[in-house]
Amino acid sequence: MARLDETMVMNLVKQGLKMGINPYVLLEEIRIGTDRVGELYSKGEYFLSDLIMASEIFKDVLTLVNQDRAETTIASYPTVVFGTVEDDIHDIGKNITTGIMRYNGFDICDLGVDVPGYKFVEAVQHYNSRVVCLTGLITESFDSMKNTIALLKEAGLRSRTTVIIGGLVNESVRNYTGADYWATDCTKVNELCRNILVTNKRIVQSS
Ligand code: B12
């Protein structure tokens, strides 16, 4: 993956599936590869096109792995509303995260990028969702996250929704925006959502 050799990645994944390796283990390997691509980009060894290429390979792997899983039962959880917040168009991480979540059986309503707060509110109302995931990578996105959460509160939805933020975020951003959780590791979100949705737990209450 770090060499961006799509043919080799696809062949290895096919081989792994044939050998009965848990597809999630394969996906995790690929994700670690995408992190390596990110590091090489940060060092100036890779270009933006390489990052985009990595996300395309990841998408193809997800398609392959999901085909293989067509026969298995997919657990049914309430729809998770996901989107990159207003003014922000970064979606590589969002696409990887939603891909992994879909693979894990979550039904995702992906609103796309540059999503105004009211669209999240409408989607939560429409799907009766209990989890909202917001992606943001630029400083301006923190205000958009805060605004989205304020609109959820205004609509009377905040107490029954858990808001998880991801991207270039940390505890201070979580605190500033009023979100319940933050995560930069997309694999953590599955466990988190399962806990919230299956056990009906809302661990941090902020409204
Ligand atoms: C790729 C990229 C772009 C691409 C985006 C392409 C695309 N389709 O996404 C393009 C070229 C379009 C772009 C544009 C801009 N960018 Co840009 N971009 C990046 C870059 C290089 C990589 C981001 C990325 O995709 N990383 C890889 C993914 C996999 O990581 P990730 O998004 O963090 O996602 C991971 C986790 O966070 C998690 N995750 C993601 N979302 C969620 C959500 C939840 C709920 C959870 C649990 C987890 C989760 O899952 C992923 C895997 O673990 C970063 C620099 C960097 N090193 O981060 C700058 C960066 C984010 N960009 C930056 C800037 C400034 C811009 C521009 C304003 C540039 C400009 N002057 O025009 C514009 C903004 C346009 C806009 N309005 O949004 C700055 C932001 C600085 C800041 N603090 O504001 C950065 C940090 C670069 C820098 N050092 O200056 N950018």
Side-chain angles (χ1 to χ4, degrees):
M1 184 67 182
R3 274 190 245 140
L4 297 170
D5 185 339
E6 178 158 25
T7 311
M8 186 184 279
V9 170
M10 297 307 272
N11 284 338
L12 286 173
V13 171
K14 278 180 197 156
Q15 206 178 312
L17 290 171
K18 248 192 217 155
M19 286 164 68
I21 297 176
N22 181 340
Y24 192 72
V25 172
L26 297 171
L27 274 183
E28 185 51 14
E29 287 294 319
I30 307 296
R31 191 193 61 81
I32 292 167
T34 59
D35 283 352
R36 179 79 190 119
V37 174
E39 280 165 31
L40 290 169
Y41 173 84
S42 302
K43 283 190 196 156
E45 289 177 39
Y46 270 178
F47 299 104
L48 186 59
S49 53
D50 297 317
L51 265 181
I52 293 169
M53 178 68 189
S55 83
E56 289 301 314
I57 299 178
F58 194 86
K59 249 192 248 168
D60 290 345
V61 169
L62 274 168
T63 308
L64 182 69
V65 161
N66 276 323
Q67 269 165 13
D68 195 67
R69 161 189 174 83
E71 300 297 315
T72 50
T73 320
I74 294 190
S76 121
Y77 302 107
T79 301
V80 173
V81 174
F82 217 118
T84 300
V85 294
E86 189 161 27
D87 294 330
D88 196 332
I89 59 160
H90 294 87
D91 69 354
I92 297 174
K94 171 181 73 61
N95 295 341
I96 292 178
T97 309
T98 52
I100 289 187
M101 288 180 78
R102 283 195 174 110
Y103 174 78
N104 276 276
F106 291 98
D107 188 18
I108 308 282
C109 163
D110 183 350
L111 296 170
V113 298
D114 189 14
V115 182
Y118 77 90
K119 292 254 182 202
F120 285 99
V121 172
E122 282 175 2
V124 168
Q125 282 165 335
H126 180 77
Y127 292 103
N128 210 11
S129 299
R130 299 217 311 276
V131 177
V132 178
C133 291
L134 308 176
T135 294
L137 272 84
I138 52 173
T139 313
E140 290 84 339
S141 67
F142 306 152
D143 280 327
S144 303
M145 288 175 171
K146 192 180 166 116
N147 179 44
T148 301
I149 293 168
L151 289 178
L152 284 170
K153 195 170 177 180
E154 228 170 74
L157 299 167
R158 184 67 184 103
S159 56
R160 70 167 174 88
T161 47
T162 299
V163 180
I164 309 173
I165 58 170
L168 280 185
V169 295
N170 54 31
E171 177 57 20
S172 311
V173 176
R174 188 204 66 75
N175 205 19
Y176 176 73
T177 58
D180 297 304
Y181 299 97
W182 67 277
T184 48
D185 177 348
C186 59
T187 52
K188 300 236 167 81
V189 79
N190 292 308
E191 179 86 40
L192 191 56
C193 286
R194 207 169 287 124
N195 276 340
I196 296 161
L197 296 173
V198 175
T199 63
N200 210 3
K201 260 193 306 202
R202 187 169 181 284
I203 303 155
V204 182
Q205 191 81 29
S206 55
S207 69

